[in-house]
Amino acid sequence: MERLEMGTRGPLTVVTGPPGAGKSVAAASWAATGRTPGPVAWVSLEEEDHRPDVFWDLVVAALERAEVANVPRRSAREHDIFRAQLAFALSGRVAPVVLVLDDFHPPAGSDLARDVARVLKAAGPVLRLVLTSRCDPPLPLHRYRLNGEVAEIRSGDLAFDEEEIRTLLAHHKVSASPASVGALRERTEGWAAGLRLAAMTMEGHPDPDAFAAAFAGDDHAVVDYLVAEVLDAQPAAVRRLLLRLSVAERFDAELAAELAGPEAGELFAGLVRENAFVVPLEHGWYRYHAVLGAALNLTLRHEHPADVAPLHRRAAQWFSRAGLLEEAVRQAVLAGDWPYASRLTVDGLAIGRLLGLSDGRPLAGLLRGIPGHAAGVTEPEPPLVAAAVALDQGDDEACAAHLARAERLLAGLPDGHSVPARLTAGLVRLVADCPTRYEDLRDLVHDLDRLLDAIPRTPSRELPELHALVRYAHGLLELRAGRPGRAGAEFKRALPAAEAGGDLQRRRCLGALALAEALQGGFRWASHLTTRAGQLPEVSTSPAGRRVTAVHLACAWVALEDVSLDEARDELDKVRVANDQSPDGLLAALHDLLAARLDMAAGRPDRALTALDAIGEDAAALPWLHRRMRLVEAEARTAGGAPEAAMAAARDVGGAEGAVALARVHLHERQPAAASRAVRPVLAESSAPATARVEAWLLDAYLAYRADDRSRGRRSLERALRLGEREKIRLPFAMARSWLLPVLRQDPELLRPHRRLIDPLGTMPRHPPEPDAGEAPAAVVGRLSARELEVLRLLSRMLTTDEIAAEMFISVNTVKTHLKSIYRKLAVTRRGEAVRRAHRYRLL
């Protein structure tokens, strides 16, 4: 109403929309409001009323009924004089006159259209013309738009919104759920007549919500209405064109000629200009209103059932030539030609869209039905696509069966044939069942490189998601070879292309890169990468619920180095679940290795050794992983009081990390000079992993403070603190807290710039410090030894004497001896008192 009221302040208002959109009802309702700028003369036009003599007689009669004075009479021989007299009579009025021409659609370029435009211009500001039509009237609308003299109300303005649909349904005493109202709005695009027909049916329907969910253009009442109003009113050639175009979701003039013959080119322009049910898109593309498209397609299937499949096949071939793969595959599927749909997908190298490597998910939905059609074929493409679809759906068993069949068919072809199919098979193999043995993965990656190089590179075949996956495979190869630096470089090369792909591809690449950084001790960058990965969905939607193991593994590693032990445990649990879904021996071994390190951080060396024993033989045979296992074993043997075994493991590790582990063994055996000699080379080795350098500087600081060389101790500790803060390495400081706390409390100048690193450990209060293990308080008779502190920690966990003995691999009598010494030094007589006092003095 408001749009019409504002429009009639100017010379021209145009209301266009398809049949049943409510054009006439809207204009009539507005005319009845009494808010018009003057009297309203209404002319309802039929097809034959567009002859000039009939038309102008109807206009004169309408003006007279509206009590417009001095309207001239038309003379058959003096038409030009009549037109001028009419314009003069109207322009002489003081009050405006509104002339409504309902269903005005004269032929383009006709005398009638020109005469209406001339009268409107000559009548000046008095005549306010309102035109309703199924298409734009043949008036110079561009001029009126340029001058701001036309108000346009289109089918989108007339479409019902959800609130208006609820009002309509209530008028028919129909109660529908919000979901049903939304479904009606989406399926009808707000088309008033379709909604009215739906409401009338729902009025007596036993399940209105079910009807709304299924309502579409194939409803018999809608089909009858549209056939009568749209289809039957067309000439035979236009009718044929309308029906044939209904096989495509969108179309242009070339596709119209392909489907309906060369003569369709001449008809197409008139069709899109004169039919308001044809919706313009962009770049010369159009589509049918959803309801009309469904109704036309149903009519085509009823009247010409034998033509449907060939039309879909011709559309598929045309879309393929145009480089529109997704639409070509859709048409092939609708034609029931699954082999052709498979060839289009494989030859178009679109396998990445099926594997979740890019955001082209509609293609996976189109091909979801192919597994049932892949059996018994003699071409490799259908089982290949079936394997990818099964993998996308999380059916690993079906994927393996289809892939095996495709590989058997490929083996029977000459090597130079079916390069896209061979590449597709390799990519499916890589994603579905990535080889864990280094040699098998190396051979697969080399084959993928060769096949990718054999495919000509064109702008339409850049294939970033496939290149990203192969680069990712190169990174996995380097990771298994124990070269995390090179692996990280490959993952970085894959990341830009992966960023343009789907969430699963991005998360996979970010997780692998974070893991490579963690293996090198770069926890600051690893933390940044896991944060980015955490902003993506934790589980994929394709296949549903699948996790990315490497992300959770890297998160667990970062959390462990940050001394967030509960978070690390949670992430390791997720690693276990993810690896059950997609087994990977290397990642399973890294899980067990991290679990062992987590047990060491929690003071459970025996459990750490058990976790190391669980690592599979294949993974343990990797030299670099074996070294890392031996490193954790050295730490566990040292803590467990087995120095000879610890020393053998440390020497087996070698390098900077082995030297640090060896120094710890010497220190445990009270050989500070040997410990200092072992750790000294690491201090000068700038290429050593950051974690090893932090631990080396911490050990050197401890040895210096112990030797009362406070100057050297402060320098080494400062180096360790700076490096730990820069690389986000906190675990070594937590493990050294028994001597680190007293030192930092006595050196606030050193502590102050590194509080961000130390405070989260929960060890550095901002108020004046209380006594701890390094300084005996008044109530403590003597300083507790390392073994006594360990017994005290186990005591605080409410373990029995027998359990403490089992945890520490010592006898029950030895535990009792330690307990007596603890009670004496803390000046208590019972376990509970000992634990409370230990907490009070921050011994725990």
Side-chain angles (χ1 to χ4, degrees):
M1 300 301 103
E2 292 173 359
R3 295 281 293 277
L4 281 161
E5 184 176 351
M6 292 180 63
T8 51
R9 295 173 187 171
L12 180 60
T13 303
V14 176
V15 185
T16 58
K23 305 178 295 295
S24 301
V25 173
S29 299
W30 165 78
T33 62
R35 294 186 293 178
T36 61
V40 177
W42 187 287
V43 181
S44 294
L45 297 166
E46 302 292 341
E47 188 66 36
E48 60 274 11
D49 295 337
H50 289 82
R51 289 170 33 209
D53 53 344
V54 177
F55 175 83
W56 289 113
D57 285 344
L58 291 172
V59 168
V60 168
L63 289 171
E64 289 179 341
R65 283 196 304 273
E67 299 181 352
V68 177
N70 302 322
V71 178
R73 290 287 175 178
R74 189 185 65 83
S75 171
R77 291 179 297 177
E78 299 175 339
H79 176 71
D80 290 341
I81 295 175
F82 162 75
R83 190 189 67 221
Q85 289 174 338
L86 177 62
F88 181 76
L90 292 174
S91 66
R93 288 178 53 83
V94 175
V97 175
V98 179
L99 176 60
V100 180
L101 301 179
D102 186 27
D103 205 9
F104 177 73
H105 55 273
S110 64
D111 291 340
L112 178 59
R114 284 194 296 269
D115 287 346
V116 169
R118 289 169 180 166
V119 168
L120 180 61
K121 182 178 180 181
V126 173
L127 180 59
R128 313 292 171 85
L129 187 60
V130 177
L131 304 179
T132 74
S133 179
R134 297 184 179 186
C135 57
D136 279 351
L139 301 179
L141 293 181
H142 58 283
R143 296 180 189 171
Y144 288 101
R145 291 188 186 114
L146 190 63
N147 295 329
E149 294 179 340
V150 61
E152 298 178 76
I153 299 173
R154 302 287 181 178
S155 56
D157 303 308
L158 296 168
F160 280 34
D161 61 24
E162 292 190 8
E163 181 61 34
E164 291 160 345
I165 294 173
R166 279 191 286 271
T167 303
L168 173 64
L169 294 177
H171 176 75
H172 286 269
K173 298 180 174 56
V174 174
S175 176
S177 67
S180 297
V181 172
L184 285 173
R185 172 72 179 87
E186 181 180 356
R187 291 171 180 272
T188 62
E189 299 185 43
W191 178 47
L195 288 165
R196 169 76 166 179
L197 292 169
M200 291 167 65
T201 305
M202 292 170 73
E203 193 169 8
H205 200 279
D207 191 350
D209 287 332
F211 175 83
F215 181 78
D218 54 2
D219 181 80
H220 71 90
V222 174
V223 173
D224 291 345
Y225 179 89
L226 290 174
V227 167
E229 287 288 332
V230 179
L231 199 58
D232 290 347
Q234 305 296 333
V238 175
R239 191 181 198 278
R240 180 172 179 270
L241 176 61
L242 279 167
L243 290 174
R244 290 189 160 228
L245 286 179
S246 70
V247 301
E249 289 190 356
R250 62 172 184 154
F251 43 81
D252 65 359
E254 290 186 19
L255 180 57
E258 176 73 20
L259 296 176
E263 67 278 5
E266 300 176 5
L267 301 173
F268 185 77
L271 176 71
V272 300
R273 182 179 65 249
E274 297 173 6
N275 196 313
F277 271 121
V278 178
V279 182
L281 298 173
E282 56 184 9
H283 307 304
W285 288 95
Y286 297 85
R287 70 169 177 87
Y288 284 138
H289 187 285
V291 176
L292 178 67
L296 289 175
N297 194 255
L298 181 65
T299 305
L300 174 68
R301 292 175 183 276
H302 285 170
E303 295 182 0
H304 308 284
D307 291 347
V308 176
L311 284 171
H312 281 301
R313 195 170 290 110
R314 287 170 66 182
Q317 293 166 351
W318 186 89
F319 278 119
S320 177
R321 293 194 300 272
L324 300 169
L325 178 64
E326 184 178 303
E327 286 163 295
V329 171
R330 177 183 290 110
Q331 292 295 324
V333 169
L334 291 172
D337 194 342
W338 291 99
Y340 183 44
S342 302
R343 288 196 301 275
L344 286 171
T345 303
V346 172
D347 292 344
L349 300 172
I351 200 66
R353 304 191 202 177
L354 298 183
L355 297 176
L357 308 181
S358 68
D359 286 330
R361 304 306 305 146
L363 196 59
L366 290 172
L367 293 164
R368 193 167 291 131
I370 196 171
H373 298 82
V377 298
T378 58
E379 300 173 329
E381 289 86 359
L384 277 175
V385 174
V389 169
L391 180 62
D392 179 68
Q393 295 173 342
D395 190 345
D396 296 335
E397 185 177 344
C399 173
H402 288 302
L403 182 58
R405 175 173 176 77
E407 288 175 336
R408 287 195 299 271
L409 291 171
L410 283 170
L413 297 175
D415 286 342
H417 287 64
S418 301
V419 171
R422 295 180 191 277
L423 175 62
T424 297
L427 293 169
V428 174
R429 172 69 64 195
L430 179 63
V431 176
D433 186 22
C434 183
T436 55
R437 290 184 66 249
Y438 176 82
E439 293 78 8
D440 295 338
L441 180 60
R442 179 196 60 202
D443 293 344
L444 176 58
V445 169
H446 289 173
D447 284 344
L448 291 174
D449 282 336
R450 177 177 55 82
L451 292 166
L452 269 178
D453 289 341
I455 293 174
R457 298 286 293 273
T458 64
S460 62
R461 283 197 165 192
E462 286 299 321
L463 310 173
E465 71 278 4
L466 301 189
H467 286 281
L469 182 60
V470 175
R471 291 265 64 85
Y472 171 78
H474 274 277
L476 293 180
L477 193 63
E478 296 292 348
L479 205 59
R480 279 166 168 72
R483 296 186 287 262
R486 293 187 185 180
E490 294 291 352
F491 293 139
K492 285 178 184 175
R493 291 175 64 187
L495 190 56
E499 291 285 1
D503 289 338
L504 182 62
Q505 176 81 328
R506 288 195 290 270
R507 190 168 168 83
R508 180 188 284 128
C509 202
L510 287 168
L513 182 54
L515 188 57
E517 291 295 329
L519 283 165
Q520 299 173 84
F523 292 101
R524 175 174 290 277
W525 183 233
S527 176
H528 170 71
L529 292 167
T530 55
T531 300
R532 286 176 60 188
Q535 293 168 353
L536 300 170
E538 183 177 345
V539 294
S540 71
T541 55
S542 175
R546 185 152 293 182
R547 299 175 184 272
V548 178
T549 309
V551 170
H552 296 298
L553 200 54
C555 286
W557 211 323
V558 169
L560 177 60
E561 290 300 328
D562 196 45
V563 201
S564 301
L565 303 190
D566 289 339
E567 181 183 343
R569 287 190 192 92
D570 290 342
E571 292 295 336
L572 285 179
D573 288 341
K574 294 175 183 177
V575 171
R576 199 159 42 244
V577 173
N579 214 56
D580 286 344
Q581 295 172 337
S582 301
D584 187 305
L586 175 61
L587 297 184
L590 288 174
H591 165 274
D592 293 338
L593 183 67
L594 266 184
R597 293 197 63 218
L598 182 59
D599 284 329
M600 285 300 304
R604 299 192 292 257
D606 54 325
R607 294 191 187 181
L609 292 171
T610 303
L612 292 177
D613 289 340
I615 295 178
E617 292 182 5
D618 290 341
L622 296 173
W624 66 273
L625 185 59
H626 177 76
R627 287 181 62 246
R628 289 180 179 270
M629 291 170 58
R630 293 288 278 168
L631 180 63
V632 179
E633 183 185 354
E635 296 175 1
R637 298 292 185 194
T638 301
E644 292 183 2
M647 200 165 292
R651 289 197 175 103
D652 198 14
V653 172
E657 292 160 314
V660 171
L662 193 60
R664 283 205 203 93
V665 180
H666 287 311
L667 197 57
H668 185 271
E669 292 301 296
R670 296 182 174 83
Q671 298 171 354
S676 182
R677 285 194 301 273
V679 82
R680 195 174 297 125
V682 183
L683 303 178
E685 192 177 339
S686 60
S687 61
T691 48
R693 285 186 287 145
V694 167
E695 294 182 13
W697 286 113
L698 270 175
L699 275 171
D700 189 64
Y702 173 75
L703 291 167
Y705 280 116
R706 179 171 176 161
D708 206 24
D709 187 352
R710 300 187 63 82
S711 177
R712 190 186 104 208
R714 193 179 195 279
R715 288 197 303 273
S716 295
L717 181 54
E718 188 174 15
R719 294 283 295 271
L721 288 166
R722 282 207 308 266
L723 183 57
E725 186 152 21
R726 188 179 73 210
E727 296 298 333
K728 295 195 74 171
I729 299 172
R730 188 172 281 136
L731 183 59
F733 300 97
M735 303 297 285
R737 72 181 75 190
S738 61
W739 67 266
L740 186 60
L741 288 176
V743 169
L744 290 176
R745 284 174 180 159
Q746 293 173 18
D747 193 348
E749 293 300 319
L750 180 59
L751 170 63
R752 190 175 297 112
H754 302 290
R755 275 197 174 276
R756 187 169 59 179
L757 176 71
I758 299 300
D759 279 356
L761 300 178
T763 59
M764 298 304 301
R766 295 185 181 277
H767 50 75
E770 296 183 48
D772 83 7
E775 50 191 68
V780 178
V781 175
R783 180 179 301 178
L784 300 182
S785 69
R787 301 288 273 179
E788 290 167 350
L789 282 171
E790 187 172 357
V791 170
L792 188 58
R793 280 196 294 272
L794 295 173
L795 199 66
S796 70
R797 289 166 45 199
M798 300 181 69
L799 269 63
T800 65
T801 303
D802 291 342
E803 289 171 337
I804 293 173
E807 284 276 336
M808 296 181 65
F809 296 95
I810 58 179
S811 69
V812 173
N813 288 332
T814 303
V815 175
K816 291 178 179 178
T817 301
H818 286 316
L819 286 174
K820 289 178 182 178
S821 179
I822 291 169
Y823 294 165
R824 180 179 57 80
K825 291 180 179 181
L826 294 180
V828 298
T829 58
R830 288 191 291 271
R831 291 182 173 218
E833 292 176 344
V835 172
R836 284 193 295 274
R837 182 155 292 187
H839 278 297
R840 178 183 174 190
Y841 294 115
R842 300 184 182 274
L843 300 177
L844 295 176

Short mmCIF file of all heavy atoms in Angstrom, two decimals, residues 21-55:
data_model
loop_
_atom_site.label_atom_id
_atom_site.label_comp_id
_atom_site.label_asym_id
_atom_site.label_seq_id
_atom_site.Cartn_x
_atom_site.Cartn_y
_atom_site.Cartn_z
N ALA A 21 0.25 -13.74 -8.67
CA ALA A 21 1.14 -13.07 -7.72
C ALA A 21 0.40 -12.06 -6.87
O ALA A 21 0.94 -11.61 -5.85
CB ALA A 21 2.30 -12.38 -8.47
N GLY A 22 -0.82 -11.65 -7.26
CA GLY A 22 -1.58 -10.70 -6.47
C GLY A 22 -1.46 -9.28 -6.96
O GLY A 22 -1.69 -8.34 -6.19
N LYS A 23 -1.12 -9.07 -8.24
CA LYS A 23 -0.95 -7.70 -8.77
C LYS A 23 -2.27 -6.93 -8.71
O LYS A 23 -2.33 -5.82 -8.16
CB LYS A 23 -0.46 -7.77 -10.22
CG LYS A 23 0.80 -8.58 -10.43
CD LYS A 23 1.21 -8.64 -11.88
CE LYS A 23 0.21 -9.39 -12.74
NZ LYS A 23 0.11 -10.83 -12.40
N SER A 24 -3.31 -7.52 -9.28
CA SER A 24 -4.60 -6.82 -9.34
C SER A 24 -5.19 -6.63 -7.96
O SER A 24 -5.75 -5.57 -7.64
CB SER A 24 -5.58 -7.61 -10.22
OG SER A 24 -5.06 -7.77 -11.52
N VAL A 25 -5.04 -7.65 -7.10
CA VAL A 25 -5.57 -7.54 -5.74
C VAL A 25 -4.87 -6.41 -4.99
O VAL A 25 -5.50 -5.62 -4.27
CB VAL A 25 -5.40 -8.89 -5.00
CG1 VAL A 25 -5.78 -8.74 -3.52
CG2 VAL A 25 -6.25 -9.95 -5.65
N ALA A 26 -3.54 -6.31 -5.16
CA ALA A 26 -2.80 -5.26 -4.48
C ALA A 26 -3.26 -3.87 -4.94
O ALA A 26 -3.51 -2.97 -4.13
CB ALA A 26 -1.30 -5.43 -4.72
N ALA A 27 -3.39 -3.70 -6.27
CA ALA A 27 -3.79 -2.40 -6.79
C ALA A 27 -5.23 -2.06 -6.37
O ALA A 27 -5.53 -0.92 -5.99
CB ALA A 27 -3.65 -2.39 -8.32
N ALA A 28 -6.14 -3.05 -6.43
CA ALA A 28 -7.53 -2.80 -6.05
C ALA A 28 -7.65 -2.48 -4.56
O ALA A 28 -8.44 -1.62 -4.16
CB ALA A 28 -8.39 -4.02 -6.42
N SER A 29 -6.87 -3.20 -3.76
CA SER A 29 -6.92 -2.94 -2.31
C SER A 29 -6.44 -1.52 -2.01
O SER A 29 -7.02 -0.82 -1.17
CB SER A 29 -6.04 -3.96 -1.58
OG SER A 29 -6.50 -5.27 -1.81
N TRP A 30 -5.41 -1.11 -2.72
CA TRP A 30 -4.91 0.25 -2.50
C TRP A 30 -5.95 1.28 -2.96
O TRP A 30 -6.19 2.28 -2.27
CB TRP A 30 -3.61 0.45 -3.27
CG TRP A 30 -3.21 1.89 -3.40
CD1 TRP A 30 -2.64 2.68 -2.45
CD2 TRP A 30 -3.39 2.72 -4.55
NE1 TRP A 30 -2.45 3.94 -2.92
CE2 TRP A 30 -2.90 4.00 -4.21
CE3 TRP A 30 -3.93 2.52 -5.81
CZ2 TRP A 30 -2.92 5.07 -5.11
CZ3 TRP A 30 -3.95 3.57 -6.71
CH2 TRP A 30 -3.44 4.84 -6.35
N ALA A 31 -6.58 1.03 -4.12
CA ALA A 31 -7.57 1.98 -4.64
C ALA A 31 -8.74 2.14 -3.67
O ALA A 31 -9.37 3.21 -3.61
CB ALA A 31 -8.07 1.53 -6.01
N ALA A 32 -9.02 1.06 -2.89
CA ALA A 32 -10.16 1.11 -1.97
C ALA A 32 -9.81 1.76 -0.63
O ALA A 32 -10.70 1.97 0.19
CB ALA A 32 -10.67 -0.30 -1.72
N THR A 33 -8.54 2.12 -0.44
CA THR A 33 -8.15 2.69 0.86
C THR A 33 -8.58 4.14 1.02
O THR A 33 -8.64 4.66 2.13
CB THR A 33 -6.63 2.63 1.03
OG1 THR A 33 -6.00 3.40 0.00
CG2 THR A 33 -6.12 1.19 0.98
N GLY A 34 -8.87 4.82 -0.13
CA GLY A 34 -9.21 6.23 -0.05
C GLY A 34 -8.00 7.14 0.05
O GLY A 34 -8.15 8.35 0.21
N ARG A 35 -6.79 6.56 -0.06
CA ARG A 35 -5.58 7.39 0.06
C ARG A 35 -5.00 7.71 -1.32
O ARG A 35 -3.82 7.99 -1.45
CB ARG A 35 -4.53 6.66 0.91
CG ARG A 35 -4.97 6.49 2.36
CD ARG A 35 -3.87 5.90 3.21
NE ARG A 35 -3.57 4.52 2.84
CZ ARG A 35 -2.63 3.78 3.40
NH1 ARG A 35 -1.87 4.32 4.36
NH2 ARG A 35 -2.43 2.53 3.02
N THR A 36 -5.83 7.68 -2.32
CA THR A 36 -5.36 7.99 -3.67
C THR A 36 -5.27 9.50 -3.85
O THR A 36 -6.01 10.26 -3.21
CB THR A 36 -6.32 7.40 -4.71
OG1 THR A 36 -7.61 8.01 -4.54
CG2 THR A 36 -6.45 5.89 -4.54
N PRO A 37 -4.41 9.98 -4.74
CA PRO A 37 -4.26 11.44 -4.93
C PRO A 37 -5.43 12.07 -5.69
O PRO A 37 -5.51 13.30 -5.79
CB PRO A 37 -2.96 11.55 -5.72
CG PRO A 37 -2.84 10.27 -6.45
CD PRO A 37 -3.43 9.23 -5.55
N GLY A 38 -6.34 11.26 -6.23
CA GLY A 38 -7.48 11.78 -6.98
C GLY A 38 -8.38 10.63 -7.37
O GLY A 38 -8.19 9.50 -6.92
N PRO A 39 -9.39 10.89 -8.19
CA PRO A 39 -10.29 9.82 -8.62
C PRO A 39 -9.52 8.72 -9.38
O PRO A 39 -8.53 8.99 -10.05
CB PRO A 39 -11.28 10.54 -9.54
CG PRO A 39 -10.60 11.79 -9.96
CD PRO A 39 -9.72 12.19 -8.82
N VAL A 40 -10.01 7.49 -9.25
CA VAL A 40 -9.35 6.33 -9.87
C VAL A 40 -10.23 5.82 -11.00
O VAL A 40 -11.39 5.46 -10.79
CB VAL A 40 -9.11 5.21 -8.85
CG1 VAL A 40 -8.48 4.00 -9.53
CG2 VAL A 40 -8.21 5.72 -7.72
N ALA A 41 -9.67 5.79 -12.20
CA ALA A 41 -10.34 5.20 -13.36
C ALA A 41 -9.69 3.85 -13.63
O ALA A 41 -8.49 3.77 -13.89
CB ALA A 41 -10.19 6.11 -14.59
N TRP A 42 -10.48 2.78 -13.53
CA TRP A 42 -9.93 1.41 -13.61
C TRP A 42 -10.35 0.76 -14.91
O TRP A 42 -11.51 0.71 -15.25
CB TRP A 42 -10.46 0.59 -12.43
CG TRP A 42 -9.84 -0.77 -12.32
CD1 TRP A 42 -10.07 -1.84 -13.12
CD2 TRP A 42 -8.89 -1.21 -11.33
NE1 TRP A 42 -9.34 -2.92 -12.72
CE2 TRP A 42 -8.60 -2.57 -11.62
CE3 TRP A 42 -8.29 -0.60 -10.24
CZ2 TRP A 42 -7.71 -3.31 -10.84
CZ3 TRP A 42 -7.40 -1.33 -9.46
CH2 TRP A 42 -7.11 -2.67 -9.77
N VAL A 43 -9.37 0.19 -15.65
CA VAL A 43 -9.62 -0.53 -16.89
C VAL A 43 -9.01 -1.92 -16.77
O VAL A 43 -7.79 -2.07 -16.65
CB VAL A 43 -9.01 0.19 -18.11
CG1 VAL A 43 -9.33 -0.58 -19.38
CG2 VAL A 43 -9.53 1.62 -18.20
N SER A 44 -9.89 -2.94 -16.77
CA SER A 44 -9.42 -4.33 -16.77
C SER A 44 -9.38 -4.83 -18.21
O SER A 44 -10.40 -4.82 -18.90
CB SER A 44 -10.35 -5.22 -15.94
OG SER A 44 -10.31 -4.85 -14.58
N LEU A 45 -8.19 -5.24 -18.64
CA LEU A 45 -7.98 -5.55 -20.06
C LEU A 45 -7.92 -7.05 -20.31
O LEU A 45 -7.31 -7.80 -19.54
CB LEU A 45 -6.67 -4.91 -20.53
CG LEU A 45 -6.65 -3.37 -20.46
CD1 LEU A 45 -5.22 -2.85 -20.62
CD2 LEU A 45 -7.54 -2.79 -21.55
N GLU A 46 -8.53 -7.46 -21.41
CA GLU A 46 -8.38 -8.81 -21.94
C GLU A 46 -7.46 -8.74 -23.16
O GLU A 46 -7.04 -7.65 -23.58
CB GLU A 46 -9.74 -9.39 -22.32
CG GLU A 46 -10.75 -9.46 -21.18
CD GLU A 46 -10.37 -10.45 -20.11
OE1 GLU A 46 -9.53 -11.34 -20.40
OE2 GLU A 46 -10.88 -10.34 -18.98
N GLU A 47 -7.18 -9.90 -23.76
CA GLU A 47 -6.24 -9.93 -24.88
C GLU A 47 -6.75 -9.05 -26.05
O GLU A 47 -6.00 -8.26 -26.63
CB GLU A 47 -6.05 -11.38 -25.35
CG GLU A 47 -4.95 -11.56 -26.38
CD GLU A 47 -3.57 -11.27 -25.80
OE1 GLU A 47 -3.34 -11.59 -24.60
OE2 GLU A 47 -2.73 -10.70 -26.53
N GLU A 48 -8.08 -9.18 -26.37
CA GLU A 48 -8.61 -8.44 -27.52
C GLU A 48 -8.79 -6.95 -27.25
O GLU A 48 -9.01 -6.16 -28.18
CB GLU A 48 -9.96 -9.04 -27.95
CG GLU A 48 -11.04 -9.02 -26.87
CD GLU A 48 -10.99 -10.21 -25.94
OE1 GLU A 48 -9.97 -10.96 -26.01
OE2 GLU A 48 -11.94 -10.40 -25.16
N ASP A 49 -8.68 -6.57 -25.97
CA ASP A 49 -8.86 -5.16 -25.62
C ASP A 49 -7.65 -4.31 -25.97
O ASP A 49 -7.68 -3.09 -25.79
CB ASP A 49 -9.14 -5.02 -24.12
CG ASP A 49 -10.47 -5.66 -23.73
OD1 ASP A 49 -11.32 -5.81 -24.61
OD2 ASP A 49 -10.62 -6.03 -22.54
N HIS A 50 -6.58 -4.92 -26.48
CA HIS A 50 -5.38 -4.15 -26.81
C HIS A 50 -5.42 -3.61 -28.24
O HIS A 50 -4.41 -3.05 -28.70
CB HIS A 50 -4.13 -5.00 -26.58
CG HIS A 50 -3.83 -5.25 -25.11
ND1 HIS A 50 -4.47 -6.23 -24.39
CD2 HIS A 50 -3.03 -4.59 -24.25
CE1 HIS A 50 -4.02 -6.20 -23.14
NE2 HIS A 50 -3.16 -5.21 -23.02
N ARG A 51 -6.55 -3.73 -28.92
CA ARG A 51 -6.75 -3.01 -30.19
C ARG A 51 -7.01 -1.54 -29.86
O ARG A 51 -7.78 -1.23 -28.95
CB ARG A 51 -7.94 -3.59 -30.95
CG ARG A 51 -7.67 -4.99 -31.51
CD ARG A 51 -8.92 -5.64 -32.04
NE ARG A 51 -9.86 -4.67 -32.62
CZ ARG A 51 -11.17 -4.84 -32.65
NH1 ARG A 51 -11.70 -5.95 -32.11
NH2 ARG A 51 -11.96 -3.95 -33.19
N PRO A 52 -6.36 -0.60 -30.55
CA PRO A 52 -6.47 0.81 -30.17
C PRO A 52 -7.91 1.32 -30.05
O PRO A 52 -8.22 2.06 -29.11
CB PRO A 52 -5.71 1.53 -31.30
CG PRO A 52 -4.72 0.52 -31.77
CD PRO A 52 -5.41 -0.81 -31.65
N ASP A 53 -8.81 0.94 -31.00
CA ASP A 53 -10.16 1.48 -30.93
C ASP A 53 -10.88 1.00 -29.67
O ASP A 53 -11.53 1.79 -28.96
CB ASP A 53 -10.96 1.09 -32.19
CG ASP A 53 -10.93 -0.41 -32.45
OD1 ASP A 53 -10.08 -1.12 -31.86
OD2 ASP A 53 -11.76 -0.89 -33.24
N VAL A 54 -10.75 -0.29 -29.37
CA VAL A 54 -11.41 -0.82 -28.16
C VAL A 54 -10.75 -0.24 -26.91
O VAL A 54 -11.43 0.17 -25.96
CB VAL A 54 -11.32 -2.36 -28.14
CG1 VAL A 54 -11.92 -2.93 -26.86
CG2 VAL A 54 -12.02 -2.95 -29.37
N PHE A 55 -9.44 -0.17 -26.92
CA PHE A 55 -8.70 0.28 -25.73
C PHE A 55 -9.11 1.70 -25.33
O PHE A 55 -9.43 1.96 -24.16
CB PHE A 55 -7.19 0.21 -26.02
CG PHE A 55 -6.34 0.76 -24.90
CD1 PHE A 55 -6.01 -0.02 -23.80
CD2 PHE A 55 -5.89 2.08 -24.94
CE1 PHE A 55 -5.24 0.51 -22.77
CE2 PHE A 55 -5.12 2.60 -23.93
CZ PHE A 55 -4.79 1.81 -22.83
#
